[in-house]
Amino acid sequence: MTALTESDLEQIVLGWFGELGYTILHGPEIAPEASLSERSSYSDPLLPAHVQIALSRLNPSLPPEALDDAFRKLTRIDSPTLIQRNHAFHRFLVEGIPVEYRTQDRIVSDSARLFDLADLENNDWLVVNQFTVVEGHHNRRPDIVVFVNGIPLGVIELKNPGDEKATIWSAFNQIQTYKEEIPSLFAFNELLVISDGYEARIGSLSSNKERFAPWRTIEGEEEARMRPPIEVLTKGVFRKEHLLDLVSHFVVFEAETDGSLIKKLAGYHQFHAVNKAVETTLTASRPKGDRRIGVIWHTQGSGKSLTMVFYAGKVVLHPAMENPTLLVLTDRNDLDGQLFGTFSRCQEILRQTPVQADARQRLRELLRVASGGVVFTTIQKFFPDPERDGDTFPRLSDRRNIVVIADEAHRSQYDFMDGFARHMRDALPNASFIGFTGTPVELSDRNTKAIFGDYISVYDIQRAVDDGATVPIYYESRLARLDLPEAEKPHIDQEFEEVTETEEEERKEKLKSKWAALEAVVGTEKRIGLIAKDIVDHFEKRLEALDGKAMIVGMSRRICLDLHKALITLRPEWYDKDDTKGILKVVMTGSATDPVEWQEHIRNKPRREKLANRFRNPNDPFRIVIVRDMWLTGFDAPSLHTMYLDKPMRGHGLMQTIARVNRVFKDKPGGLIVDYLGIAHELKTAMATYTQSGGSGKPTLDQDDAVAALLKHYEICCGLFHGFDWSSGKQSPEKRLSLLPFAQDHILSQENGQKRLAKAVSDLSKAFALAVPHPRGIEIRDDVRFFQEVNAVLTKSGPSSGRDPGDMDHAIRQIVSGAIVSEGVIDIFEAAGLMRPDLSILSEEFLADVRNMPQKNLAVELLRKLLDNEIKTRSRKNVVLSRSFSEMLEKTLRAYHNRAIETVQVIEELITLAGEIRKAEKRGEDLGLSEDEVAFYDALETNDSAVKILGDKVLCEIARELVQTIRNNVTVDWSIREDRRAHIKRLVKRILKKNGYPPDKQEKATETVLEQAETLCQDWVA
């Protein structure tokens, strides 16, 4: 049985596209010089004839000059950046291309459609493999390009399933290269797909690694678990009705604070939930409908706000809704502002600008309109005005096409009997209601179901973590760390009622006695001092292992400010009065009546937003924020990984708060909740509600689980170093440095030692980042550092090839000492006590140093890396020579790994090979040939006795003539177009025959020459 290759995978994927009804074409068949050419130039990413035919077919009412204008605008999108050009194209896709034309008496403004969403078969569906694009000096050939009406909407990059080095992230890196080198293709892109045959992910033009996500369904929300992920993605995304729906209704562009654009694509859970919700909306809003659309429960951090945007965008456009009015409802001003901000940034998909009703009268005006509008308000604005309305809110509209979208629909404020919801029903008696929530609705909560109905879609914690949409949350109680007498410890009454920040401000004299009593105990000077000291120690140790930020949640504003004071007493350098500087800040509301010493921490909304942007920026030194209520819901800071909770919380509020640390960020393995007040019972209660509602996965995992994982991976690493004593390395960096060559030698002496260590250390580092600063983690910290250092030197690829920049983009920090390493990577030669070699020389002195190294296994590894790197460099120019050297290297190493030859002997053979490579450097000079000509000289099998008879002079002439002839005749796609390849082959044979090359050797030499030409022609035709 032969191994599955990249070409096999490509053909399998093309077969699935065939099943979906696409026409399949081979890139060279439609290349510019081909008889079935579809474009005049390789620089054209569109299929012009297909585009023009589609424009004409889809826009029969437009005159030819308008169609020409539309085509011209499509092909000449001019913006400074690729993402801006892509944004301009996306607007064409969604809205049509604006055109003007003159009739007899006036100028008409209209738009030209690019796609037909109503009649899918009225579109032209085409998939092309090996589609070459040339731009500037770059010649690139993506594996599969998906065209609809001649426009390349999708690019699929595949990697060899049988090659362990060809991973899904190799495909990701290749896509990034394509975006840089052939951006014209990506100006029209809507979907990027990467796969290695086993794993498959989809992303947008601006998606980083974390945002490339799996697609787990083919039809509906049912996961297709028993099929290969690439099949599920292909059939689930590129099904005709799915593809045009996805790119038309489930893509948004959001502006970052620095003005840059981010393109966001819906996940499969959002796509199917929204489509199901639109169906139930149509049913609920009919004359006989019950006006209950349902509830969408998508766990916090999985994109709930964007799901609301996608839903609003689809409902607004649906013809059956007849230009509806959408009322987006929250129960808090800060949530209203955050959600309004999200909708405002995505207003293109809504086809209108959302409006915020900041007063009751303004709300009434906005809801009395005849149609249309996306209105934001808080539920409290539905309270009747006692002077004007009595106790009944006035009727504002009888229309049935009003949809109320409630955020966090389970809250008590949505009380149907005598709460705000009743007044809302009075105002809008025929409106339909849909609820969105990040936490489950309690089984006993009948009000929510009475207003909104049953679940439409559930996307729980387990699925979100499995999909990489969120990271798991761990829980650690630090109560035992606070050395307080029992009488001084706060105790939370089960009937305790939380007081919000607003109530704290407005009702200072009327606070409930239970709250006031507890606040007094929680806020004692002694206790705050102990917590401050513990947080400093805890977070500084966390930062050693995991880059990121922390949030401290206090019970009252007074406690927050006292804790701030205690922290800056311990760490004065954390403080700066300037909002643009400083590591630690308090974010809270307040007024001029608050104490004067509080005033520097009371900021207006614009100042708080600037601080929020600083905190969201992972590179900003603002690392720790203290809050009471602010930023606990609807606030995203992905690099936030630790939350210190010192506030009584329960239920939905608790679940939403802890979710601040579950956002995906680089390779962040999880978030941590540190409990100083004893909320374990509340977490268990929340968990019971969660599981009763049908959710899978735990809201939090015990930190003991992380410690157990740490110890397990620590034992594996210790096993790899069994019999090796590294204890002396704990004494100083110098000692560790001297140990490293021996440690490497120990690992390399084991079967697959380096590979096993890399996996073990990676797992250990993740577990350490989660567990630290647990005492068991601190105990083994030096050992973890040692294991990381040994792994770092062994994974160093060699002096001439730096690491992939993406590999440096980590949140997990290597806890290695700066005295030894730079950015966590130790120089392999320095660690071995050698001068860094000049690879182009591989001097005798250097080789002699290697020969005399006491660590023989390490010497073999050093030589292997050097020679492998050098051979790879040569393979880009000289196929024959590099193949010869590669075979010699493989043969020697095979014998070494099979223990057929001793380590000393393998070192000698590798040094001999290094000498051969050095000699090869000078052959061109001796023969009077250029580098390209030497490559063709070697392709002529000059070692064969029958060929040698011709003599070097004739062979050199043949090599020169081959270079000149092939260079003058190759075209971009010659190697994969049979007609062009046959032409080059005839020219090569003619040259060989003319110069008396042995006839029986000509066929093999020709094939080798063509192979060599394929390697060099990339530079020649660029």
Side-chain angles (χ1 to χ4, degrees):
M1 183 188 294
T2 57
L4 197 63
T5 65
E6 186 177 318
S7 178
D8 294 331
L9 179 59
E10 191 176 292
Q11 291 306 312
I12 291 168
V13 174
L14 291 174
W16 291 327
F17 272 102
E19 292 175 24
L20 295 173
Y22 287 73
T23 300
I24 314 297
L25 289 177
H26 185 42
E29 294 171 2
I30 59 169
E33 307 99 345
S35 56
L36 300 175
S37 174
E38 293 280 5
R39 52 190 177 142
S40 59
S41 167
Y42 283 105
S43 62
D44 192 348
L46 299 169
L47 303 180
H50 289 255
V51 178
Q52 289 169 319
I53 292 168
L55 280 170
S56 181
R57 182 176 66 250
L58 299 176
N59 304 280
S61 63
L62 294 181
E65 62 269 23
L67 296 175
D68 290 343
D69 183 34
F71 182 74
R72 190 163 44 250
K73 285 179 177 174
L74 179 66
T75 55
R76 296 181 185 174
I77 298 173
D78 188 23
S79 293
T81 65
L82 173 58
I83 192 73
Q84 287 173 329
R85 292 194 294 278
N86 188 251
H87 184 210
F89 164 71
H90 186 75
R91 294 193 66 169
F92 287 165
L93 181 156
V94 171
E95 301 167 12
I97 303 174
V99 293
E100 289 184 346
Y101 58 92
R102 184 180 292 278
T103 61
Q104 289 182 339
D105 55 349
R106 64 194 179 96
I107 292 177
V108 178
S109 295
D110 207 336
S111 63
R113 289 191 305 158
L114 289 171
F115 307 100
D116 190 337
L117 273 67
D119 181 1
L120 296 173
E121 295 310 317
N122 199 25
N123 300 293
D124 173 18
W125 304 86
L126 182 66
V127 171
V128 181
N129 72 323
Q130 301 301 313
F131 183 76
T132 298
V133 179
V134 176
E135 193 164 350
H137 295 291
H138 303 293
N139 173 352
R140 295 294 177 192
R141 192 182 304 133
D143 291 328
I144 296 175
V145 180
V146 182
F147 290 88
V148 183
N149 296 337
I151 300 172
L153 295 185
V155 172
I156 302 175
E157 192 61 30
L158 306 170
K159 286 297 162 194
N160 185 350
D163 182 352
E164 66 178 30
K165 294 179 182 176
T167 67
I168 193 168
W169 301 120
S170 308
F172 171 84
N173 291 337
Q174 196 150 349
I175 290 279
Q176 306 316 303
T177 300
Y178 290 162
K179 281 166 31 181
E180 289 291 322
E181 297 183 352
I182 49 170
S184 61
L185 175 66
F186 294 89
F188 305 98
N189 182 266
E190 293 294 332
L191 310 171
L192 297 171
V193 174
I194 53 176
S195 178
D196 59 2
Y198 302 109
E199 207 177 344
R201 293 181 180 237
I202 184 170
S204 76
L205 185 67
S206 64
S207 295
N208 53 23
K209 282 183 179 179
E210 303 98 88
R211 295 302 167 196
F212 267 78
W215 190 281
R216 300 198 189 278
T217 60
I218 294 177
E219 286 188 85
E221 290 193 289
E222 181 91 23
E223 291 191 24
R225 292 184 177 274
M226 302 311 291
R227 300 199 191 186
I230 182 61
E231 180 186 3
V232 175
L233 193 155
T234 302
K235 292 181 177 179
V237 170
F238 292 100
R239 182 180 297 270
K240 293 177 182 179
E241 60 269 30
H242 286 183
L243 178 59
L244 286 187
D245 187 18
L246 186 62
V247 301
S248 300
H249 301 120
F250 292 90
V251 172
V252 292
F253 288 79
E254 282 195 63
E256 295 284 85
T257 52
D258 61 1
S260 62
L261 279 176
I262 297 292
K263 185 177 186 178
K264 296 183 177 179
L265 174 72
Y268 71 93
H269 61 291
Q270 295 168 310
F271 178 78
H272 292 298
V274 166
N275 281 328
K276 195 171 174 185
V278 171
E279 286 176 25
T280 58
T281 302
L282 299 180
T283 303
S285 61
R286 286 176 187 147
K288 292 187 179 180
D290 67 0
R291 293 167 294 158
R292 296 185 307 153
I293 298 168
V295 176
I296 290 179
W297 165 24
H298 283 189
T299 195
Q300 302 105 318
S302 64
K304 176 170 63 77
S305 298
L306 271 184
T307 305
M308 296 170 78
V309 169
F310 294 135
Y311 168 75
K314 281 211 83 170
V315 167
V316 160
L317 284 181
H318 204 289
M321 293 302 293
E322 299 174 331
N323 192 16
T325 297
L326 306 186
L327 176 63
V328 185
L329 208 59
T330 66
D331 69 343
R332 291 212 336 236
N333 283 326
D334 59 333
L335 283 179
D336 186 47
Q338 288 162 3
L339 200 54
F340 178 71
T342 301
F343 271 65
S344 296
R345 290 191 296 274
C346 303
Q347 59 184 268
E348 282 177 15
I349 203 170
L350 304 172
R351 314 305 196 273
Q352 57 200 297
T353 304
V355 182
Q356 209 165 11
D358 49 8
R360 286 180 197 163
Q361 188 55 40
R362 177 64 174 147
L363 173 65
R364 297 179 186 195
E365 291 168 7
L366 291 167
L367 292 179
R368 283 190 172 119
V369 296
S371 64
V374 178
V375 180
F376 277 74
T377 192
T378 55
I379 196 166
Q380 289 82 356
K381 292 189 175 62
F382 277 96
F383 201 77
D385 184 336
E387 293 181 11
R388 294 173 51 189
D389 310 322
D391 62 355
T392 304
F393 202 90
R395 181 169 294 197
L396 301 179
S397 176
D398 286 320
R399 287 192 293 120
R400 297 195 71 86
N401 66 339
I402 295 177
V403 178
V404 177
I405 303 172
D407 186 29
E408 296 308 334
H410 47 67
R411 292 199 210 263
S412 59
Q413 284 92 330
Y414 298 115
D415 184 352
F416 193 44
M417 297 307 293
D418 54 9
F420 296 114
R422 191 200 84 189
H423 300 304
M424 189 163 46
R425 274 287 191 226
D426 292 340
L428 307 168
N430 295 316
S432 297
F433 286 69
I434 182 171
F436 286 80
T437 177
T439 54
V441 177
E442 294 179 27
L443 294 182
S444 59
D445 182 358
R446 300 188 181 185
N447 290 331
T448 298
K449 289 200 172 184
I451 299 173
F452 300 104
D454 293 321
Y455 285 129
I456 299 169
S457 171
V458 173
Y459 186 68
D460 57 33
I461 290 171
Q462 192 62 55
R463 286 176 75 186
V465 171
D466 289 346
D467 290 346
T470 62
V471 298
I473 302 172
Y474 289 81
Y475 168 83
E476 176 190 6
S477 173
R478 302 281 287 184
L479 282 171
R481 295 272 160 186
L482 305 181
D483 187 17
L484 286 169
E486 191 62 30
E488 294 180 35
K489 291 179 182 177
H491 296 279
I492 304 172
D493 190 311
Q494 288 306 302
E495 280 72 50
F496 179 87
E497 234 177 284
E498 188 185 339
V499 177
T500 68
E501 189 166 324
T502 310
E503 289 173 312
E504 186 194 341
E505 287 180 54
E506 294 174 357
R507 300 166 51 213
K508 288 178 185 169
E509 303 304 319
K510 302 177 185 177
L511 290 178
K512 296 191 176 181
S513 58
K514 277 185 183 177
W515 186 91
L518 181 65
E519 197 264 359
V521 177
V522 170
T524 62
E525 184 178 351
K526 180 179 180 182
R527 185 176 179 279
I528 284 176
L530 288 170
I531 286 177
K533 187 174 183 303
D534 192 64
I535 286 175
V536 168
D537 182 58
H538 187 277
F539 189 60
E540 287 182 340
K541 287 189 172 75
R542 290 278 291 163
L543 282 182
E544 289 178 1
L546 190 65
D547 189 20
K549 306 203 173 192
M551 179 180 282
I552 304 169
V553 184
M555 182 175 175
S556 69
R557 295 181 304 148
R558 177 188 72 81
I559 290 174
C560 289
L561 294 173
D562 286 351
L563 186 56
H564 176 268
K565 185 178 178 181
L567 286 167
I568 61 174
T569 300
L570 294 169
R571 291 291 181 272
E573 66 275 16
W574 287 5
Y575 174 73
D576 200 300
K577 194 170 183 178
D578 188 337
D579 278 1
T580 64
K581 300 172 184 173
I583 291 170
L584 173 70
K585 300 287 179 187
V586 179
V587 174
M588 68 183 202
T589 56
S591 67
T593 61
D594 285 315
V596 66
E597 61 269 22
W598 291 21
Q599 294 302 317
E600 72 166 278
H601 303 287
I602 298 170
R603 300 171 178 84
N604 59 20
K605 191 173 179 180
R607 285 181 64 198
R608 287 201 303 269
E609 189 53 37
K610 284 180 180 174
L611 273 185
N613 290 332
R614 278 193 65 200
F615 197 70
R616 288 187 189 105
N617 180 358
N619 301 315
D620 192 291
F622 176 19
R623 286 195 175 276
I624 309 169
V625 66
I626 305 175
V627 300
R628 189 229 185 283
D629 279 340
M630 307 294 291
W631 297 4
L632 296 186
T633 53
F635 178 77
D636 276 3
S639 61
L640 174 63
H641 61 57
T642 306
M643 176 177 283
Y644 299 96
L645 264 184
D646 194 37
K647 173 184 177 180
M649 303 187 82
R650 61 164 55 98
H652 303 297
L654 175 59
M655 295 278 279
Q656 287 179 316
T657 296
I658 65 175
R660 294 315 101 202
V661 298
N662 79 347
R663 299 326 194 241
V664 173
F665 175 69
K666 298 181 181 176
D667 58 353
K668 170 176 142 185
L672 178 66
I673 301 299
V674 178
D675 175 16
Y676 287 117
L677 204 56
I679 58 162
H681 175 79
E682 281 68 29
L683 270 174
K684 284 177 185 173
T685 305
M687 181 64 207
T689 299
Y690 179 84
T691 50
Q692 286 167 8
S693 301
S696 60
K698 293 182 179 180
T700 61
L701 304 170
D702 197 295
Q703 206 201 16
D704 287 344
D705 296 340
V707 174
L710 171 67
L711 297 178
K712 175 183 129 185
H713 295 302
Y714 174 67
E715 288 301 320
I716 292 170
C717 285
C718 288
L720 287 168
F721 283 92
H722 178 70
F724 183 86
D725 181 10
W726 66 89
S727 57
S728 64
K730 298 178 183 180
Q731 297 170 16
S732 69
E734 290 76 19
K735 289 278 189 184
R736 283 207 312 282
L737 184 62
S738 65
L739 263 184
L740 283 175
F742 298 96
Q744 293 172 76
D745 202 55
H746 176 82
I747 292 297
L748 292 169
S749 68
Q750 302 172 48
E751 187 173 352
N752 292 323
Q754 183 178 343
K755 187 176 178 181
R756 287 159 58 204
L757 181 71
K759 171 75 167 63
V761 170
S762 173
D763 292 340
L764 178 68
S765 299
K766 287 178 184 176
F768 184 79
L770 285 172
V772 77
H774 190 279
R776 290 295 285 122
I778 300 303
E779 279 176 29
I780 62 172
R781 181 179 177 279
D782 288 341
D783 293 339
V784 174
R785 173 169 55 192
F786 176 74
F787 298 147
Q788 288 178 338
E789 286 172 348
V790 177
N791 185 54
V793 290
L794 285 173
T795 53
K796 181 78 170 168
S797 299
S800 66
S801 63
R803 286 190 297 169
D804 174 356
D807 289 344
M808 299 184 195
D809 196 26
H810 288 315
I812 294 175
R813 285 179 163 171
Q814 304 298 296
I815 54 167
V816 286
S817 165
I820 298 183
V821 301
S822 168
E823 293 185 337
V825 177
I826 301 166
D827 186 282
I828 191 167
F829 297 98
E830 182 186 340
L834 301 172
M835 291 294 290
R836 205 174 174 83
D838 180 345
L839 275 190
S840 62
I841 301 170
L842 283 171
S843 69
E844 291 289 354
E845 292 79 11
F846 172 76
L847 294 174
D849 286 344
V850 172
R851 180 185 280 121
N852 295 326
M853 281 175 63
Q855 306 89 11
K856 300 304 180 187
N857 292 301
L858 178 56
V860 172
E861 183 62 13
L862 280 171
L863 286 168
R864 182 196 67 76
K865 287 184 174 181
L866 286 168
L867 295 174
D868 192 47
N869 192 66
E870 184 66 7
I871 291 166
K872 279 179 184 169
T873 303
R874 290 174 184 281
S875 69
R876 299 182 197 120
K877 284 287 187 182
N878 192 318
V879 172
V880 174
L881 197 62
S882 65
R883 184 183 295 147
S884 170
F885 287 147
S886 186
E887 287 169 357
M888 291 166 66
L889 180 60
E890 279 182 34
K891 181 182 174 185
T892 303
L893 292 175
R894 198 180 306 117
Y896 168 61
H897 290 308
N898 292 337
R899 302 295 188 258
I901 56 176
E902 293 297 320
T903 310
V904 174
Q905 186 182 342
V906 80
I907 290 172
E908 290 305 319
E909 291 192 15
L910 292 176
I911 288 175
T912 301
L913 177 55
E916 292 295 323
I917 291 174
R918 281 174 55 211
K919 282 183 201 168
E921 284 278 322
K922 300 180 180 177
R923 283 169 60 251
E925 295 172 26
D926 298 340
L927 293 168
L929 298 175
S930 68
E931 192 175 14
D932 289 350
E933 289 164 352
V934 167
F936 280 103
Y937 175 90
D938 290 333
L940 295 173
E941 299 200 45
T942 50
N943 288 330
D944 189 282
S945 55
V947 178
K948 262 185 186 170
I949 296 170
L950 292 174
D952 274 347
K953 187 175 179 182
V954 173
L955 291 170
C956 288
E957 281 304 316
I958 295 175
R960 292 188 188 99
E961 192 173 350
L962 284 171
V963 169
Q964 186 176 356
T965 302
I966 294 172
R967 187 191 286 269
N968 292 339
N969 284 275
V970 292
T971 55
V972 170
D973 261 354
W974 76 271
S975 61
I976 57 172
R977 281 185 53 197
E978 288 306 320
D979 58 334
R980 298 302 306 165
R981 188 179 180 88
H983 175 62
I984 300 291
K985 190 171 183 177
R986 284 194 298 272
L987 293 175
V988 172
K989 282 188 171 181
R990 195 176 299 160
I991 292 168
L992 295 178
K993 189 175 181 181
K994 182 181 75 173
N995 286 281
Y997 196 88
D1000 58 326
K1001 306 288 182 183
Q1002 284 182 18
E1003 188 61 36
K1004 189 178 179 186
T1006 301
E1007 289 304 324
T1008 310
V1009 166
L1010 290 177
E1011 186 183 355
Q1012 179 62 60
E1014 283 180 37
T1015 303
L1016 292 173
C1017 76
Q1018 295 274 349
D1019 296 332
W1020 292 352
V1021 297

